[in-house]
Amino acid sequence: MRKRRIRNEALWRTEIMHGRRDFCWLAKQVQNKNIITYYLDDGKKTAVTETIEREMPLLFKEIRRSGSPDASIAFLPGDEAALGTEGYRIGETEAGYKIESASPVGYLYGMYGLHRLLTTQNEAGFPYESVPDQSIRMIDHWDNFDGSIERGYAGESLFYDHNTFRGDMELIRQYARLLASVGINGVLINNVNVHRPETFFVTGKALAEIRKISDVLAAYGIKTYLSVNFAAPITVGQLKSADPLEPEVALWWEETVKRIYEEIPDFAGFVVKADSEGEPGPFTYGRNHDEGANMLARAAGLYGGVIIWRCFVYDCSQDWWNREADRARAAYDIFEPLDGRFLDNVILQIKNGPIDFQIREPVSPLFGALKKTNQILEFQITQEYTGHQRDICYLVPMWKETMDFDTKHGIGLTVKEAVRENSPVCGRSGIAGVGNVGMDANWTGSKLAQANLYGFGRLVWNHELSAEAIAEEWVRQSFCLTEEKCGKLAAILTTSRDVYEAYTCPLGVGFMCKPAVHYGVDIDGYEYDRWGTYHYADRDGVGRDRTVKTGTSYTRQYSDARFSEYEDLSSCPDELLLFFHHVPYTHVLHSGKTVIQHIYDTHFEGVERVREYQAVWESLKDSLDEGSYLNMKERLVWQLENAVSWRDQVNTYFYRKSGIPDEKGRKIYQ
Ligand code: GCW
């Protein structure tokens, strides 16, 4: 295996050359002495091959193989049987490299792949072959037409501004470039909560603007999706009803879809949030979700479009005192009985956990249980409950844990396999992430939050990558650091999820955050509210009893093996204990600690770890560009304040409830 040393002084120079927006992992050019030439295999130009021609000089300023005066990269036809339509193989040639693929988009991915291999340590060596592990690899934007982003922490929307289309196509192109470089092939461009202005996106002038966005994305192999409002036939079409079984409603959607495809022939399809948190849906008309989704699917199917239908459906007006009702049960209760009843261009989109993107949740029981329905796993890249891109929280370890989780349905069916293999049409399955970018100059507000966007794409393309390897790749491409410093920075990332969990909600209990904003501590903030997320702490103990024996029976939604594991207190994993059981503070965990001592210890430790991050960050100061250094220095101050306030409130709260002191005698306010 040969290793190349690539000079990377060009890093900051390219930032200036291409504008601040390009300041990201793609800023690093592969460079050496000789000018590169490159060949595409045939003369046929497509939007994607034009992109490749435009990108080559940005990525590979100059390139040379040692001993060879000229360097080249050849793009050659590849074997579709082995590589599929998106995969690629990179090999070395006398004069440089060859990228083989069966399609232009595969060349595009191959080009980014080569760039990555040459700017990081290519442990794999050449030839290097890569084929994506999932078909749909998508970013969902919760962007509103007024420019705001629901749960966005990096400025306003790239797409919209004050109820107009921002129209900055160069910005969108740069964004598409970022996404394509990590293999993303789908973008949902508006919020799943579809307000009145966006309800009109499916008609009129908006479509021409959406077409422009879609064209830019398509040149990077990315398909465009729209969120639609289930009540659009009423709001836009002036019909009296949106009942999916009313022929005139179906006809309205058919005509609407036809107009969309006339304007945007390669339009991908709709995403629908129905009967959820105030959004309209089929339940209004006494219809079920298969009836709603299939009606839309018939219309979209005429043009090859899909309907991505979200399973985030639950009653958000619960009575806090009603212990029978359990929000965690909702998605499975509603959708499992419908397995096999959806048309083959419907895809159910399922959040990773049964509640809502908490720092720790069990895996949704729908994975593995749905066997005859196309499915997409939904993650949240934007840090809604995980620190608002103020606190560092690298989410790849959590995503990996979910994907590698063995559902124990059958022999060894992991979530990543279930998504693909239980979907009747494999090409209509995959993984989506709610995006974390906005108008902030570094895209993600927090510099280190870029690693989540990068990591999402890399992991969803290649499930075998470790969270550590992805973190290191991102660090190497984003900074010029020695090996030792690179390791220190990557270690901040890879430990940050555990640290965030340590100073926030303990043992899987969830939702002790401030209502509505979802940042900062408010232990009882949701306790007497309607959202169905309760911890039930009292003087004796804490946690939600979801067992069959004495609780809500949520545990029964899992496969037999997982059911027994979670149902039984003695086998339930510590980190999920309070999600499944209500236990006394003196209950002894597998770790050997009592619950109360675990709460105290993790909260004291969490704060200390943030202090350590601050020290490491200072030690990197001279090796970092000033912008990034200051960006995270400021955030680490906020993170420490946040961690201290969580620590003190959580510790005091549980001390007051339990009356049990910290066995190490540390400061707990009374
Ligand atoms: O997590 C919740 C968020 C809502 C979001 C919803 C969803 C878009 O707090 O802001 O709405 O999930 O996923 O639909």
Side-chain angles (χ1 to χ4, degrees), residues 142 150-151 191-193 273 276-277 310 312 351 356-357 378 380 384-385 518:
W142 288 353
E150 184 155 348
R151 313 306 178 185
N191 191 353
V192 289
N193 290 328
K273 172 176 177 177
S276 170
E277 300 184 331
R310 293 178 84 229
F312 185 63
K351 285 192 183 184
D356 196 8
F357 298 139
E378 180 178 344
Q380 196 180 43
E384 176 180 0
Y385 294 97
H518 301 161

Side-chain angles (χ1 to χ4, degrees), residues 1-4 92 117 121-128:
M1 187 182 66
R2 193 163 352 143
K3 280 198 182 163
R4 284 162 204 287
E92 289 176 302
L117 292 170
Q121 282 181 350
N122 170 19
E123 302 290 345
F126 295 105
Y128 174 90

